[in-house]
Amino acid sequence: MAFNQVKPLKGYELVMEQLKASILSGAFVPGEKLASVVDLATTFGVGRSTIREALSALKAIGLVEIRQGGGTYVSAELPNEPSDGSSLFARAQSIRELLEVRKILETGCASLAARNRTEADLQGIREELLHMETYLHDEAKGEEADVRFHLKLAGATHNSLLISMMESLSERLHDSMRESRKLWFYGERAEARRLLGEHSDIFEAIRGQREEQAFEAMQAHLGKVEAVLHKAIAEADLEERFDPAKGGE
């Protein structure tokens, strides 16, 4: 008889599954605030990073809301059919590949936008920067403004092929930014303003028509996102290797 290989769950996946079951069973009611990361870590006997990853996974499937500085709450409206719980890192390879494409495509867009931008282009890009600042603590709206920033930047190249390529990636761009912003805020716990600052650097280089600087600012921004991704994956792998419960090293 042939058997399928069994893939052991990581620590955060075990925590996520227990919390998910509690939410779906009604042990936690919609709108209820969960215990703090510190308290949950103590309850489950795991590190805080494991709890954060579990909460991020629950957020990704619509079961909880994470309010920056305000704790974690069970979603007021639970999804009718929660997904199978694919975690923040389950699509890591896909995110990494998209980031590689973005580094090639968007660094060129930034450079060309610096050369070809008009005052109308600058106004449009500036508007999205202001939206990002307004919604620093609203992840969904901040993400939407982030995507629009990059699309309007592509529009400033006035190259129809580049614009078309960026628009064709629009849905994937949303997915990439959603996941990388989760990693940014919950993996590295960086301040939202740091992300805004990197976009401001890109904008200022484009406004000053400094092509090389615009290229480098975009490269630095996407390189930072990629580094956070690699770090989060490495930490998750290390945690699994050294988890005594799984017979790790």
Side-chain angles (χ1 to χ4, degrees), residues 103 106-107 110 202 213-225:
K103 284 173 71 176
E106 293 196 68
T107 49
I202 296 168
Q213 189 172 334
F215 180 99
E216 292 174 351
M218 179 65 78
Q219 187 174 54
H221 166 57
L222 296 177
K224 173 65 175 177
V225 174

Coordinates of all heavy atoms in Angstrom, one line a residue, residues 103 106-107 110 202 213-225:
K103 N 12.0 43.7 -8.5 CA 13.3 44.4 -8.5 C 13.8 44.7 -9.9 O 14.4 45.8 -10.1 CB 14.3 43.5 -7.7 CG 14.1 43.5 -6.2 CD 15.0 42.5 -5.6 CE 16.5 42.9 -5.6 NZ 17.3 41.9 -4.9
E106 N 10.6 47.3 -11.4 CA 10.3 48.6 -10.7 C 11.5 49.5 -10.5 O 11.4 50.7 -10.4 CB 9.6 48.4 -9.4 CG 8.2 47.8 -9.5 CD 7.4 47.9 -8.3 OE1 7.1 49.0 -7.9 OE2 7.1 46.8 -7.7
T107 N 12.7 48.9 -10.5 CA 13.9 49.8 -10.4 C 14.0 50.6 -11.8 O 14.3 51.8 -11.8 CB 15.2 49.0 -10.2 OG1 15.2 47.9 -11.1 CG2 15.2 48.5 -8.8
A110 N 11.3 53.3 -11.8 CA 11.7 54.4 -11.0 C 12.7 55.4 -11.7 O 12.5 56.6 -11.7 CB 12.3 54.0 -9.7
I202 N 12.0 57.5 -2.6 CA 11.8 57.2 -4.0 C 11.1 58.4 -4.7 O 11.5 58.9 -5.7 CB 10.9 55.9 -4.2 CG1 11.6 54.7 -3.6 CG2 10.5 55.7 -5.7 CD1 10.7 53.5 -3.5
Q213 N 19.5 57.9 -8.5 CA 19.1 57.9 -7.2 C 17.7 57.2 -7.0 O 17.5 56.5 -6.0 CB 19.1 59.3 -6.6 CG 18.8 59.3 -5.1 CD 19.0 60.8 -4.5 OE1 19.7 61.6 -5.1 NE2 18.3 61.0 -3.4
A214 N 16.9 57.5 -8.0 CA 15.5 56.8 -8.0 C 15.7 55.3 -8.1 O 15.0 54.5 -7.4 CB 14.7 57.4 -9.1
F215 N 16.6 54.9 -9.0 CA 16.9 53.5 -9.2 C 17.3 52.9 -7.9 O 16.8 51.8 -7.4 CB 17.9 53.3 -10.3 CG 18.3 51.9 -10.6 CD1 17.7 51.2 -11.6 CD2 19.2 51.2 -9.8 CE1 18.1 49.9 -11.9 CE2 19.6 49.9 -10.0 CZ 19.0 49.2 -11.1
E216 N 18.3 53.5 -7.2 CA 18.9 53.0 -6.0 C 17.9 53.0 -4.8 O 17.9 52.1 -4.0 CB 20.1 53.8 -5.7 CG 21.3 53.6 -6.6 CD 22.5 54.5 -6.4 OE1 22.3 55.5 -5.5 OE2 23.5 54.4 -7.0
A217 N 17.1 54.0 -4.8 CA 16.1 54.1 -3.7 C 15.1 53.0 -3.8 O 14.7 52.3 -2.8 CB 15.4 55.5 -3.7
M218 N 14.6 52.7 -5.0 CA 13.7 51.6 -5.3 C 14.4 50.2 -5.0 O 13.8 49.3 -4.4 CB 13.1 51.6 -6.7 CG 12.2 50.5 -7.0 SD 10.6 50.5 -6.0 CE 9.7 51.8 -6.9
Q219 N 15.6 50.1 -5.4 CA 16.3 48.9 -5.2 C 16.5 48.6 -3.7 O 16.4 47.5 -3.2 CB 17.7 49.0 -5.9 CG 18.5 47.6 -5.8 CD 19.8 47.7 -6.7 OE1 20.6 48.6 -6.5 NE2 19.9 46.8 -7.6
A220 N 16.8 49.7 -2.9 CA 17.0 49.6 -1.5 C 15.7 49.2 -0.8 O 15.7 48.4 0.1 CB 17.5 50.9 -0.9
H221 N 14.6 49.8 -1.3 CA 13.3 49.5 -0.7 C 12.9 48.0 -0.9 O 12.6 47.3 0.1 CB 12.2 50.4 -1.3 CG 10.8 49.9 -1.0 ND1 10.4 49.8 0.2 CD2 9.8 49.6 -1.9 CE1 9.1 49.4 0.2 NE2 8.8 49.3 -1.1
L222 N 13.0 47.5 -2.1 CA 12.7 46.2 -2.4 C 13.7 45.2 -1.8 O 13.3 44.1 -1.4 CB 12.5 45.9 -3.9 CG 11.4 46.7 -4.6 CD1 11.4 46.5 -6.1 CD2 10.1 46.3 -4.0
G223 N 14.9 45.6 -1.7 CA 16.0 44.8 -1.1 C 15.7 44.6 0.4 O 15.9 43.5 0.9
K224 N 15.2 45.7 1.0 CA 14.8 45.6 2.4 C 13.7 44.6 2.6 O 13.7 43.8 3.5 CB 14.4 47.0 2.9 CG 13.8 47.0 4.3 CD 14.9 46.6 5.4 CE 14.3 46.8 6.8 NZ 15.2 46.3 7.8
V225 N 12.6 44.7 1.8 CA 11.5 43.8 1.9 C 12.0 42.3 1.7 O 11.6 41.4 2.4 CB 10.4 44.1 0.8 CG1 9.3 43.1 0.8 CG2 9.8 45.5 1.1

